[in-house]
Amino acid sequence: HKNNHIQTCMTQQSTCYRVEEIPLEETSLGPEDFLVPVAHFHQTIFQCFNHPFLFKVTEGESLQSVRVRLMERFKDVSEKEFEKYKFSLVSHGRMTAIGDEFTFNSSDFINNVDTDSKPLNEAHLDVFLHSRPWLGLEHAIKPPKRSRYNYVEKPVKIHNQ
């Protein structure tokens, strides 16, 4: 009986859920809107940091417009610092730098997966999800500013008696 339970646990698939707070203005998608995965990275796309998120974009919207809306979303980043961000389209492990003339098209962010011939099984789904194109924000990793008095603070000690 105990071995059956262990075998059952070993054969069950784990499930991952993505949970993120979505701004109110991005909760409804129009017919021309789609969600773009966005992630921060430093120097190479394999050095990601912070939390990736989904961002609502309209078909044909310019990078310049998206840049302005992203800057409004990152309230803790100064305008001067945000100007240093470089934008890239990342797909299949390759990074392509994009400039202000870039326009967002859903075809750039939706993979061409042949779903007519056969349904996506777990192996295909894994490849599909990990190869989905995303918008990369390349910039330096800024550690949070610390007070100059932090080093003076002493730890709290709790003595059990």
Side-chain angles (χ1 to χ4, degrees):
H1 179 260
K2 189 174 183 178
N3 287 340
N4 288 342
H5 178 68
I6 292 172
Q7 188 175 13
T8 302
C9 289
M10 290 173 59
T11 59
Q12 289 179 343
Q13 296 292 324
S14 63
T15 304
C16 294
Y17 294 97
R18 179 189 181 101
V19 178
E20 70 178 80
E21 185 176 354
I22 299 173
L24 189 59
E25 61 273 5
E26 293 189 18
T27 55
S28 61
L29 293 178
E32 296 290 312
D33 298 333
F34 58 98
L35 295 175
V36 173
V38 181
H40 302 265
F41 69 95
H42 180 63
Q43 294 179 337
T44 74
I45 59 173
F46 304 107
Q47 291 182 345
C48 291
F49 59 94
N50 279 354
H51 299 286
F53 59 95
L54 296 172
F55 192 72
K56 181 171 99 171
V57 174
T58 303
E59 187 77 29
E61 186 173 7
S62 69
L63 176 61
Q64 208 167 17
S65 171
V66 169
R67 184 187 298 259
V68 169
R69 292 192 303 117
L70 278 170
M71 192 168 65
E72 290 171 0
R73 188 168 183 170
F74 300 147
K75 296 178 187 340
D76 57 337
V77 177
S78 70
E79 191 173 333
K80 182 180 175 183
E81 188 63 35
F82 193 77
E83 287 175 4
K84 297 177 186 175
Y85 284 29
K86 296 176 188 170
F87 289 76
S88 300
L89 177 62
V90 182
S91 180
H92 299 289
R94 291 195 176 102
M95 174 182 75
T96 306
I98 56 177
D100 285 339
E101 71 283 349
F102 180 82
T103 57
F104 285 83
N105 297 305
S106 58
S107 60
D108 293 331
F109 292 91
I110 298 172
N111 287 344
N112 297 322
V113 178
D114 183 14
T115 55
D116 295 332
S117 62
K118 59 185 173 203
L120 286 174
N121 62 26
E122 289 176 30
H124 289 108
L125 185 61
D126 187 51
V127 169
F128 172 75
L129 292 175
H130 288 95
S131 64
R132 183 175 180 198
W134 50 280
L135 178 64
L137 306 178
E138 181 182 2
H139 58 97
I141 302 170
K142 292 282 184 181
K145 292 185 178 182
R146 297 187 338 179
S147 167
R148 63 182 180 168
Y149 300 109
N150 265 356
Y151 66 92
V152 178
E153 293 178 9
K154 294 184 179 182
V156 175
K157 294 182 182 178
I158 300 174
H159 299 282
N160 291 334
Q161 296 182 6

